[in-house]
Amino acid sequence: MWRNSVGPRGPVTGEFPTREAALEAGRDEARVRGVQHVVRDLDGTAIERHRYPRRSGELPG
């Protein structure tokens, strides 16, 4: 099971059967929030970082 969270102690935003599904959901959430998406290894080391600035067309309605 793969999990996403918001921030270091934030709530888990979902559990996913595959890493790819969790990454896609994490990227989508980062785009909506206009924040950085950090992918961590099993030991907690950040292995990827992507910033998703929010654009006006991406704001929730």
Side-chain angles (χ1 to χ4, degrees), residues 37-56:
H37 179 232
V38 179
V39 179
R40 297 191 180 276
D41 205 352
L42 292 175
D43 67 0
T45 304
I47 57 174
E48 292 180 41
R49 292 177 187 266
H50 303 278
R51 182 160 297 282
Y52 294 103
R54 193 183 304 196
R55 297 183 191 113
S56 61

Side-chain angles (χ1 to χ4, degrees), residues 5-28:
S5 65
V6 178
R9 291 190 168 94
V12 173
T13 59
E15 292 184 345
F16 304 89
T18 65
R19 181 179 190 270
E20 292 76 23
L23 287 172
E24 184 177 342
R27 279 191 219 90
D28 290 346

Side-chain angles (χ1 to χ4, degrees), residues 6 11 13 28-36 52-54 58 60:
V6 178
T13 59
D28 290 346
E29 187 68 23
R31 282 186 188 101
V32 168
R33 293 172 180 259
V35 297
Q36 181 172 241
Y52 294 103
R54 193 183 304 196
E58 296 174 334

